[in-house]
Amino acid sequence: MSNHRTVRASYLVFGQPKIEQAEIEEVLACLRSAWLGTGPKAAEFERRVAAYKGVPYAVGLNSCTAGLHLACVVLGLQPGDEVITTPMTFCATVNAIVHAGAVPVLADVDPRTMNIDPAEVRRRITPRTRALLPVHFAGRPCDMDALMAIAREHGLKVIEDCAHAIETEHRGRKAGTIGDLGVLSFYSTKNIVTGEGGMVLTRDEGLARRVKRAGLHGMSADAWKRFTDDGYKHYDVEEIGFKYNMMDLQAAIGMHQITRVEAYWRRRQEIWQRYLREFADLPLELPAPWSAHERHALHLFTVLVDPARCGASRDDMLMRLHQRNIGTGVHYRSIPNMTVYRQRFGWRPEDFPHSQRIGDQTLSLPISAKLSDDDVSDVIAAVRDAIGR
Ligand SMILES: *Cc1c(COP(=O)(O)O)cnc(C)c1O
Protein backbone atom coordinates (compact mmCIF):
# COMPACT_ATOMS: atom_id res chain seq x y z
CA MET A 1 0.00 0.00 0.00
CA SER A 2 2.23 2.89 1.18
CA ASN A 3 4.76 3.02 -1.63
CA HIS A 4 4.23 6.80 -1.74
CA ARG A 5 3.39 6.70 -5.44
CA THR A 6 0.84 9.42 -4.76
CA VAL A 7 3.22 12.06 -3.36
CA ARG A 8 2.82 15.26 -5.29
CA ALA A 9 5.83 17.33 -6.28
CA SER A 10 4.98 20.43 -4.22
CA TYR A 11 3.35 20.88 -0.82
CA LEU A 12 -0.38 21.69 -0.99
CA VAL A 13 -0.81 24.45 1.60
CA PHE A 14 -4.15 24.24 3.45
CA GLY A 15 -6.56 27.14 2.98
CA GLN A 16 -4.76 29.11 0.29
CA PRO A 17 -6.81 32.06 -1.03
CA LYS A 18 -7.50 32.64 -4.71
CA ILE A 19 -6.13 36.08 -5.63
CA GLU A 20 -6.94 37.41 -9.10
CA GLN A 21 -5.73 40.20 -11.39
CA ALA A 22 -8.40 42.77 -10.46
CA GLU A 23 -7.38 42.87 -6.78
CA ILE A 24 -3.68 42.94 -7.67
CA GLU A 25 -4.31 46.00 -9.87
CA GLU A 26 -6.54 47.64 -7.24
CA VAL A 27 -3.84 47.23 -4.57
CA LEU A 28 -1.30 48.80 -6.92
CA ALA A 29 -3.72 51.67 -7.65
CA CYS A 30 -4.21 52.12 -3.92
CA LEU A 31 -0.44 52.29 -3.34
CA ARG A 32 -0.01 54.74 -6.22
CA SER A 33 -2.82 56.93 -4.86
CA ALA A 34 -0.92 57.11 -1.53
CA TRP A 35 -4.26 56.81 0.32
CA LEU A 36 -3.70 53.60 2.27
CA GLY A 37 -5.96 54.13 5.28
CA THR A 38 -9.73 54.03 5.68
CA GLY A 39 -11.34 55.82 2.75
CA PRO A 40 -13.32 55.34 -0.46
CA LYS A 41 -12.30 51.71 -1.09
CA ALA A 42 -13.33 50.66 2.43
CA ALA A 43 -16.69 52.39 1.88
CA GLU A 44 -17.14 50.67 -1.51
CA PHE A 45 -16.32 47.25 -0.03
CA GLU A 46 -18.85 47.87 2.77
CA ARG A 47 -21.52 48.80 0.18
CA ARG A 48 -20.84 45.66 -1.87
CA VAL A 49 -20.96 43.32 1.14
CA ALA A 50 -24.13 45.00 2.46
CA ALA A 51 -25.76 44.55 -0.97
CA TYR A 52 -24.70 40.88 -1.14
CA LYS A 53 -26.04 40.21 2.36
CA GLY A 54 -29.17 42.32 1.86
CA VAL A 55 -28.50 44.31 5.03
CA PRO A 56 -28.55 48.11 5.39
CA TYR A 57 -25.34 48.49 7.44
CA ALA A 58 -21.89 46.93 7.16
CA VAL A 59 -18.82 48.28 8.99
CA GLY A 60 -15.37 47.21 7.78
CA LEU A 61 -12.81 46.37 10.48
CA ASN A 62 -9.30 44.96 10.71
CA SER A 63 -10.50 41.51 11.85
CA CYS A 64 -13.50 39.40 12.78
CA THR A 65 -12.07 39.19 16.29
CA ALA A 66 -12.30 43.00 16.53
CA GLY A 67 -15.88 42.81 15.24
CA LEU A 68 -16.91 40.20 17.82
CA HIS A 69 -15.37 42.37 20.56
CA LEU A 70 -17.16 45.52 19.34
CA ALA A 71 -20.43 43.58 19.03
CA CYS A 72 -20.17 42.66 22.73
CA VAL A 73 -19.24 46.27 23.61
CA VAL A 74 -22.06 48.00 21.70
CA LEU A 75 -24.66 45.60 23.11
CA GLY A 76 -23.66 47.04 26.48
CA LEU A 77 -22.49 43.83 28.14
CA GLN A 78 -21.43 44.48 31.73
CA PRO A 79 -19.06 42.64 34.06
CA GLY A 80 -20.75 39.45 35.22
CA ASP A 81 -23.12 39.30 32.23
CA GLU A 82 -23.08 35.83 30.70
CA VAL A 83 -22.81 35.05 26.99
CA ILE A 84 -23.51 31.51 25.80
CA THR A 85 -21.32 30.21 22.97
CA THR A 86 -19.96 26.94 21.57
CA PRO A 87 -16.87 24.93 22.53
CA MET A 88 -16.45 24.01 18.83
CA THR A 89 -14.95 27.32 17.68
CA PHE A 90 -11.77 29.32 17.33
CA CYS A 91 -10.49 30.88 20.56
CA ALA A 92 -11.27 34.40 19.24
CA THR A 93 -15.01 33.83 19.77
CA VAL A 94 -14.50 33.21 23.49
CA ASN A 95 -11.78 35.84 23.90
CA ALA A 96 -14.03 38.58 22.49
CA ILE A 97 -16.57 37.92 25.25
CA VAL A 98 -13.86 38.06 27.92
CA HIS A 99 -12.33 41.27 26.52
CA ALA A 100 -15.74 42.94 26.73
CA GLY A 101 -15.74 42.12 30.45
CA ALA A 102 -18.49 39.50 30.18
CA VAL A 103 -18.41 35.84 31.20
CA PRO A 104 -18.39 33.13 28.49
CA VAL A 105 -20.58 30.09 29.11
CA LEU A 106 -20.28 27.03 26.87
CA ALA A 107 -23.13 24.88 25.56
CA ASP A 108 -22.18 21.62 23.79
CA VAL A 109 -22.84 21.01 20.10
CA ASP A 110 -25.20 18.70 18.24
CA PRO A 111 -22.88 15.84 17.19
CA ARG A 112 -24.36 15.68 13.68
CA THR A 113 -24.29 19.37 12.72
CA MET A 114 -21.39 20.33 15.02
CA ASN A 115 -23.37 23.53 15.76
CA ILE A 116 -24.46 24.72 19.20
CA ASP A 117 -27.39 22.62 20.43
CA PRO A 118 -30.41 24.77 21.41
CA ALA A 119 -31.39 22.23 24.08
CA GLU A 120 -27.93 22.63 25.66
CA VAL A 121 -28.29 26.43 25.43
CA ARG A 122 -31.53 26.23 27.44
CA ARG A 123 -29.77 24.19 30.13
CA ARG A 124 -27.08 26.88 30.50
CA ILE A 125 -29.37 29.89 30.88
CA THR A 126 -29.19 31.68 34.24
CA PRO A 127 -30.62 35.01 35.49
CA ARG A 128 -27.32 36.61 34.36
CA THR A 129 -27.50 35.41 30.72
CA ARG A 130 -27.59 38.42 28.37
CA ALA A 131 -26.59 37.16 24.93
CA LEU A 132 -26.05 34.17 22.63
CA LEU A 133 -23.01 33.95 20.34
CA PRO A 134 -23.65 31.06 17.91
CA VAL A 135 -21.02 30.12 15.30
CA HIS A 136 -22.22 28.79 11.93
CA PHE A 137 -19.61 26.05 12.05
CA ALA A 138 -17.92 25.13 8.75
CA GLY A 139 -20.58 27.29 7.05
CA ARG A 140 -23.57 25.17 8.13
CA PRO A 141 -26.36 27.36 9.54
CA CYS A 142 -27.19 27.03 13.23
CA ASP A 143 -30.80 26.27 14.14
CA MET A 144 -31.66 29.97 14.15
CA ASP A 145 -35.42 29.38 14.66
CA ALA A 146 -34.74 27.66 17.98
CA LEU A 147 -32.00 30.09 19.04
CA MET A 148 -34.05 33.21 18.22
CA ALA A 149 -37.02 31.70 20.10
CA ILE A 150 -34.83 31.22 23.19
CA ALA A 151 -33.52 34.78 22.79
CA ARG A 152 -37.05 36.21 22.60
CA GLU A 153 -38.22 34.18 25.60
CA HIS A 154 -35.35 35.34 27.79
CA GLY A 155 -34.75 38.83 26.34
CA LEU A 156 -31.27 37.96 25.03
CA LYS A 157 -29.21 39.64 22.33
CA VAL A 158 -27.79 37.49 19.50
CA ILE A 159 -24.39 37.91 17.83
CA GLU A 160 -23.73 35.56 14.88
CA ASP A 161 -20.10 34.54 14.31
CA CYS A 162 -20.12 34.29 10.50
CA ALA A 163 -16.38 33.75 10.03
CA HIS A 164 -17.19 30.61 7.99
CA ALA A 165 -20.57 31.71 6.79
CA ILE A 166 -20.68 34.57 4.28
CA GLU A 167 -22.83 32.46 1.88
CA THR A 168 -24.89 30.73 4.61
CA GLU A 169 -28.70 31.01 4.72
CA HIS A 170 -31.41 29.66 7.02
CA ARG A 171 -35.00 29.60 5.69
CA GLY A 172 -34.07 32.19 3.08
CA ARG A 173 -32.54 34.52 5.67
CA LYS A 174 -28.87 35.27 5.35
CA ALA A 175 -26.54 34.40 8.21
CA GLY A 176 -25.44 37.51 10.05
CA THR A 177 -28.73 39.33 9.44
CA ILE A 178 -30.93 37.18 11.70
CA GLY A 179 -29.54 38.16 15.12
CA ASP A 180 -28.75 41.70 16.30
CA LEU A 181 -25.27 41.69 14.78
CA GLY A 182 -23.32 39.37 12.46
CA VAL A 183 -19.55 39.33 12.05
CA LEU A 184 -17.61 38.22 8.95
CA SER A 185 -13.92 37.34 8.65
CA PHE A 186 -11.72 38.01 5.63
CA TYR A 187 -8.66 36.27 7.11
CA SER A 188 -6.45 34.62 4.48
CA THR A 189 -8.04 31.16 4.79
CA LYS A 190 -11.70 32.29 4.72
CA ASN A 191 -14.13 32.13 1.79
CA ILE A 192 -13.19 35.62 0.62
CA VAL A 193 -10.12 37.41 1.93
CA THR A 194 -8.42 40.74 2.56
CA GLY A 195 -5.37 39.23 4.33
CA GLU A 196 -6.59 40.38 7.72
CA GLY A 197 -10.06 41.89 7.90
CA GLY A 198 -13.59 41.63 9.19
CA MET A 199 -17.00 43.29 8.96
CA VAL A 200 -19.97 43.79 11.26
CA LEU A 201 -23.45 43.50 9.73
CA THR A 202 -26.63 44.89 11.27
CA ARG A 203 -30.14 46.09 10.47
CA ASP A 204 -29.95 48.62 13.33
CA GLU A 205 -28.64 52.08 12.40
CA GLY A 206 -27.81 52.94 16.00
CA LEU A 207 -25.74 49.78 16.51
CA ALA A 208 -23.92 50.39 13.20
CA ARG A 209 -23.03 53.93 14.28
CA ARG A 210 -21.75 52.71 17.62
CA VAL A 211 -19.64 49.94 16.04
CA LYS A 212 -18.09 52.51 13.72
CA ARG A 213 -17.35 54.97 16.52
CA ALA A 214 -16.02 52.40 19.01
CA GLY A 215 -13.86 50.93 16.21
CA LEU A 216 -12.10 54.28 15.65
CA HIS A 217 -10.99 55.46 19.10
CA GLY A 218 -14.52 56.60 20.01
CA MET A 219 -14.10 59.67 17.80
CA SER A 220 -17.17 61.51 16.54
CA ALA A 221 -18.47 60.58 13.09
CA ASP A 222 -16.83 63.67 11.57
CA ALA A 223 -13.42 62.12 12.25
CA TRP A 224 -13.90 59.86 9.24
CA LYS A 225 -13.99 62.85 6.90
CA ARG A 226 -12.01 65.48 8.71
CA PHE A 227 -9.68 66.13 5.78
CA THR A 228 -11.96 67.27 2.97
CA ASP A 229 -12.13 70.06 0.43
CA ASP A 230 -14.15 72.02 2.97
CA GLY A 231 -11.06 72.33 5.12
CA TYR A 232 -10.15 70.91 8.49
CA LYS A 233 -12.81 69.97 11.03
CA HIS A 234 -12.15 69.32 14.70
CA TYR A 235 -13.29 66.00 16.06
CA ASP A 236 -14.61 65.11 19.47
CA VAL A 237 -13.94 61.91 21.42
CA GLU A 238 -17.22 60.55 22.73
CA GLU A 239 -16.17 57.22 24.26
CA ILE A 240 -13.01 55.24 25.03
CA GLY A 241 -12.75 53.28 21.80
CA PHE A 242 -10.42 50.94 19.96
CA LYS A 243 -8.29 51.05 16.78
CA TYR A 244 -10.08 48.50 14.61
CA ASN A 245 -10.75 50.26 11.29
CA MET A 246 -10.21 48.61 7.90
CA MET A 247 -7.60 50.11 5.52
CA ASP A 248 -8.30 50.88 1.86
CA LEU A 249 -5.30 48.66 1.15
CA GLN A 250 -7.28 45.72 2.59
CA ALA A 251 -10.57 46.78 1.00
CA ALA A 252 -8.82 46.97 -2.41
CA ILE A 253 -8.62 43.17 -2.24
CA GLY A 254 -12.04 42.56 -0.69
CA MET A 255 -14.05 44.75 -3.09
CA HIS A 256 -13.11 42.38 -5.94
CA GLN A 257 -13.24 39.17 -3.91
CA ILE A 258 -16.88 39.86 -3.00
CA THR A 259 -17.86 39.94 -6.68
CA ARG A 260 -16.68 36.29 -6.95
CA VAL A 261 -18.10 34.98 -3.68
CA GLU A 262 -20.74 32.86 -5.47
CA ALA A 263 -18.33 31.61 -8.15
CA TYR A 264 -15.92 30.46 -5.44
CA TRP A 265 -18.81 28.81 -3.58
CA ARG A 266 -19.79 26.87 -6.73
CA ARG A 267 -16.19 25.70 -7.17
CA ARG A 268 -16.09 24.48 -3.55
CA GLN A 269 -19.40 22.72 -4.15
CA GLU A 270 -17.79 20.71 -7.00
CA ILE A 271 -14.89 19.75 -4.75
CA TRP A 272 -17.30 18.90 -1.89
CA GLN A 273 -19.37 16.59 -4.14
CA ARG A 274 -16.25 14.90 -5.45
CA TYR A 275 -14.96 14.22 -1.92
CA LEU A 276 -18.37 12.80 -0.90
CA ARG A 277 -18.33 10.44 -3.90
CA GLU A 278 -14.69 9.38 -3.62
CA PHE A 279 -14.73 8.80 0.14
CA ALA A 280 -18.13 7.09 0.37
CA ASP A 281 -16.54 3.63 0.85
CA LEU A 282 -13.97 4.73 3.46
CA PRO A 283 -14.43 4.26 7.24
CA LEU A 284 -14.35 8.06 7.71
CA GLU A 285 -17.39 9.96 9.01
CA LEU A 286 -18.22 12.53 6.31
CA PRO A 287 -20.10 15.84 6.78
CA ALA A 288 -23.82 15.27 7.39
CA PRO A 289 -26.29 16.35 4.70
CA TRP A 290 -28.41 19.47 5.31
CA SER A 291 -32.03 20.26 4.57
CA ALA A 292 -33.58 22.17 1.72
CA HIS A 293 -34.27 25.20 3.92
CA GLU A 294 -30.55 25.57 4.65
CA ARG A 295 -27.66 26.87 2.56
CA HIS A 296 -24.22 25.64 3.60
CA ALA A 297 -21.25 27.94 2.92
CA LEU A 298 -18.98 24.89 2.40
CA HIS A 299 -16.08 26.55 4.22
CA LEU A 300 -14.61 23.41 5.82
CA PHE A 301 -14.81 19.81 4.60
CA THR A 302 -14.28 17.94 7.86
CA VAL A 303 -13.90 14.18 8.23
CA LEU A 304 -13.96 12.36 11.57
CA VAL A 305 -11.21 9.79 12.05
CA ASP A 306 -12.42 7.23 14.60
CA PRO A 307 -9.33 5.14 15.53
CA ALA A 308 -11.55 2.10 16.18
CA ARG A 309 -12.83 2.18 12.59
CA CYS A 310 -9.82 3.63 10.75
CA GLY A 311 -6.97 1.86 12.55
CA ALA A 312 -5.33 5.28 12.85
CA SER A 313 -5.84 8.38 14.97
CA ARG A 314 -6.61 11.83 13.58
CA ASP A 315 -3.03 12.87 14.32
CA ASP A 316 -1.71 9.76 12.50
CA MET A 317 -3.81 10.70 9.46
CA LEU A 318 -2.68 14.31 9.62
CA MET A 319 0.99 13.23 9.65
CA ARG A 320 0.48 10.70 6.85
CA LEU A 321 -1.13 13.36 4.68
CA HIS A 322 1.64 15.79 5.56
CA GLN A 323 4.22 13.17 4.44
CA ARG A 324 2.27 12.94 1.18
CA ASN A 325 2.61 16.73 0.71
CA ILE A 326 -1.01 17.49 1.64
CA GLY A 327 -1.60 20.21 4.25
CA THR A 328 -4.71 19.80 6.42
CA GLY A 329 -6.30 21.69 9.31
CA VAL A 330 -7.88 20.90 12.69
CA HIS A 331 -11.11 22.86 13.36
CA TYR A 332 -11.09 22.71 16.31
CA ARG A 333 -9.79 21.05 19.41
CA SER A 334 -12.60 21.68 21.87
CA ILE A 335 -12.15 24.99 23.74
CA PRO A 336 -11.91 23.40 27.25
CA ASN A 337 -8.75 21.60 26.07
CA MET A 338 -6.91 24.93 26.13
CA THR A 339 -5.06 25.60 29.37
CA VAL A 340 -6.13 29.16 30.03
CA TYR A 341 -9.88 28.42 29.89
CA ARG A 342 -9.56 25.45 32.23
CA GLN A 343 -7.61 27.62 34.68
CA ARG A 344 -9.83 30.67 34.42
CA PHE A 345 -13.31 29.15 34.10
CA GLY A 346 -12.77 25.64 35.47
CA TRP A 347 -14.15 24.09 32.26
CA ARG A 348 -13.58 20.35 31.85
CA PRO A 349 -13.44 18.79 28.38
CA GLU A 350 -15.58 15.84 29.53
CA ASP A 351 -18.47 18.21 30.35
CA PHE A 352 -18.83 18.84 26.59
CA PRO A 353 -18.54 15.26 25.29
CA HIS A 354 -19.66 15.86 21.69
CA SER A 355 -17.18 18.70 21.19
CA GLN A 356 -14.51 16.65 22.90
CA ARG A 357 -14.97 13.72 20.51
CA ILE A 358 -15.17 15.93 17.41
CA GLY A 359 -12.10 17.87 18.56
CA ASP A 360 -10.13 14.62 18.95
CA GLN A 361 -11.23 13.12 15.62
CA THR A 362 -11.79 15.98 13.18
CA LEU A 363 -9.57 16.71 10.19
CA SER A 364 -10.21 19.44 7.59
CA LEU A 365 -9.23 18.63 4.01
CA PRO A 366 -8.28 21.38 1.53
CA ILE A 367 -11.36 22.88 -0.17
CA SER A 368 -10.19 26.32 -1.34
CA ALA A 369 -11.56 27.58 -4.67
CA LYS A 370 -7.92 27.88 -5.72
CA LEU A 371 -7.54 24.07 -5.96
CA SER A 372 -7.20 22.63 -9.46
CA ASP A 373 -8.85 19.31 -10.39
CA ASP A 374 -5.38 17.73 -10.15
CA ASP A 375 -4.91 19.14 -6.63
CA VAL A 376 -8.22 17.56 -5.62
CA SER A 377 -7.17 14.25 -7.20
CA ASP A 378 -3.94 14.41 -5.18
CA VAL A 379 -5.90 14.93 -1.94
CA ILE A 380 -8.20 12.01 -2.76
CA ALA A 381 -5.32 9.68 -3.64
CA ALA A 382 -3.38 10.69 -0.52
CA VAL A 383 -6.37 10.14 1.80
CA ARG A 384 -7.07 6.71 0.32
CA ASP A 385 -3.39 5.78 0.50
CA ALA A 386 -3.04 7.08 4.08
CA ILE A 387 -5.98 4.99 5.22
CA GLY A 388 -4.70 1.94 3.31
CA ARG A 389 -7.40 1.85 0.63
C1 LIG B 1 -11.27 32.92 11.76
C2 LIG B 1 -12.29 32.93 12.86
C3 LIG B 1 -12.45 34.01 13.72
C4 LIG B 1 -11.49 35.16 13.76
O1 LIG B 1 -11.38 35.81 12.55
P1 LIG B 1 -10.22 36.90 12.35
O2 LIG B 1 -10.68 37.68 11.16
O3 LIG B 1 -8.95 36.15 12.10
O4 LIG B 1 -10.15 37.72 13.58
C5 LIG B 1 -13.49 33.99 14.62
N1 LIG B 1 -14.33 32.94 14.70
C6 LIG B 1 -14.21 31.87 13.90
C7 LIG B 1 -15.20 30.76 14.01
C8 LIG B 1 -13.17 31.82 12.97
O5 LIG B 1 -13.02 30.74 12.19
Side-chain angles (χ1 to χ4, degrees):
M1 98 199 164
S2 283
N3 58 8
H4 286 219
R5 66 195 181 284
T6 56
V7 171
R8 39 182 280 138
S10 64
Y11 197 80
L12 184 66
V13 175
F14 178 83
Q16 270 195 322
K18 189 166 162 83
I19 304 292
E20 301 193 42
Q21 197 57 33
E23 43 271 43
I24 292 171
E25 280 163 19
E26 195 79 42
V27 166
L28 292 177
C30 187
L31 289 170
R32 294 201 175 99
S33 79
W35 185 279
L36 310 183
T38 305
K41 292 190 202 303
E44 180 59 24
F45 183 34
E46 288 172 347
R47 272 193 295 276
R48 289 183 187 184
V49 173
Y52 174 72
K53 298 296 293 189
V55 74
Y57 307 102
V59 182
L61 299 167
N62 59 16
S63 73
C64 172
T65 305
L68 291 168
H69 180 204
L70 290 179
C72 292
V73 168
V74 303
L75 290 178
L77 295 179
Q78 301 294 320
D81 285 355
E82 293 176 356
V83 180
I84 301 178
T85 191
T86 168
M88 190 42 57
T89 189
F90 186 55
C91 58
T93 314
V94 177
N95 293 353
I97 298 168
V98 179
H99 286 316
V103 180
V105 172
L106 300 181
D108 204 0
V109 298
D110 174 318
R112 203 184 71 88
T113 65
M114 305 186 187
N115 275 328
I116 196 166
D117 180 349
E120 287 296 314
V121 171
R122 280 190 189 281
R123 285 185 49 211
R124 304 283 172 175
I125 287 182
T126 77
R128 293 178 303 280
T129 308
R130 292 288 174 273
L132 307 180
L133 207 177
V135 176
H136 302 291
F137 178 81
R140 182 191 300 268
C142 289
D143 183 349
M144 291 309 290
D145 290 343
L147 294 176
M148 294 308 290
I150 295 171
R152 270 192 305 275
E153 246 173 74
H154 295 271
L156 310 177
K157 301 293 185 185
V158 177
I159 303 165
E160 297 172 71
D161 181 334
C162 298
H164 303 174
I166 185 164
E167 306 91 343
T168 300
E169 294 180 16
H170 185 261
R171 294 196 197 284
R173 302 175 75 191
K174 293 175 195 287
T177 73
I178 305 169
D180 295 276
L181 296 149
V183 191
L184 301 170
S185 175
F186 309 119
Y187 178 67
S188 307
T189 58
K190 302 295 160 81
N191 292 351
I192 67 164
V193 306
T194 60
E196 298 283 359
M199 202 171 280
V200 172
L201 312 173
T202 183
R203 288 170 279 105
D204 183 318
E205 186 186 359
L207 286 178
R209 214 179 304 119
R210 283 155 67 196
V211 168
K212 199 152 182 169
R213 186 177 73 181
L216 192 67
H217 306 294
M219 290 156 82
S220 53
D222 300 351
W224 291 83
K225 37 186 175 191
R226 65 185 185 277
F227 305 101
T228 64
D229 297 346
D230 309 338
Y232 186 85
K233 254 171 126 180
H234 288 295
Y235 60 84
D236 188 15
V237 181
E238 298 168 337
E239 68 178 303
I240 308 292
F242 304 89
K243 184 70 198 313
Y244 285 165
N245 53 304
M246 174 179 277
M247 294 193 289
D248 271 19
L249 204 47
Q250 294 165 297
I253 307 171
M255 62 191 272
H256 295 286
Q257 289 265 307
I258 184 65
T259 66
R260 293 183 220 109
V261 61
E262 287 293 306
Y264 290 171
W265 180 85
R266 285 192 296 274
R267 174 59 185 151
R268 292 196 307 280
Q269 192 178 39
E270 288 172 3
I271 300 170
W272 187 285
Q273 297 301 343
R274 228 184 125 191
Y275 282 161
L276 284 184
R277 277 197 308 275
E278 301 275 0
F279 298 145
D281 63 322
L282 298 185
L284 299 167
E285 189 176 326
L286 302 177
W290 52 94
S291 23
H293 70 265
E294 296 173 312
R295 186 171 201 249
H296 196 307
L298 312 176
H299 175 60
L300 297 173
F301 189 92
T302 60
V303 298
L304 296 185
V305 184
D306 179 351
R309 289 175 64 202
C310 300
S313 70
R314 185 269 314 282
D315 290 351
D316 293 335
M317 280 296 288
L318 191 155
M319 276 313 294
R320 290 176 193 177
L321 291 171
H322 170 72
Q323 286 157 356
R324 287 162 177 75
N325 269 351
I326 304 295
T328 57
V330 173
H331 303 89
Y332 299 93
R333 289 162 64 219
S334 179
I335 283 285
N337 283 287
M338 309 298 173
T339 309
V340 70
Y341 305 116
R342 279 202 308 275
Q343 288 173 345
R344 181 121 167 221
F345 303 110
W347 293 336
R348 299 181 308 172
E350 59 270 28
D351 291 340
F352 309 92
H354 297 310
S355 295
Q356 174 71 357
R357 183 183 69 95
I358 294 165
D360 288 346
Q361 298 188 352
T362 191
L363 187 65
S364 304
L365 301 178
I367 190 160
S368 156
K370 189 179 197 311
L371 300 185
S372 68
D373 288 342
D374 285 347
D375 292 332
V376 178
S377 299
D378 289 343
V379 175
I380 292 165
V383 167
R384 298 192 66 88
D385 189 37
I387 213 165
R389 300 286 279 266

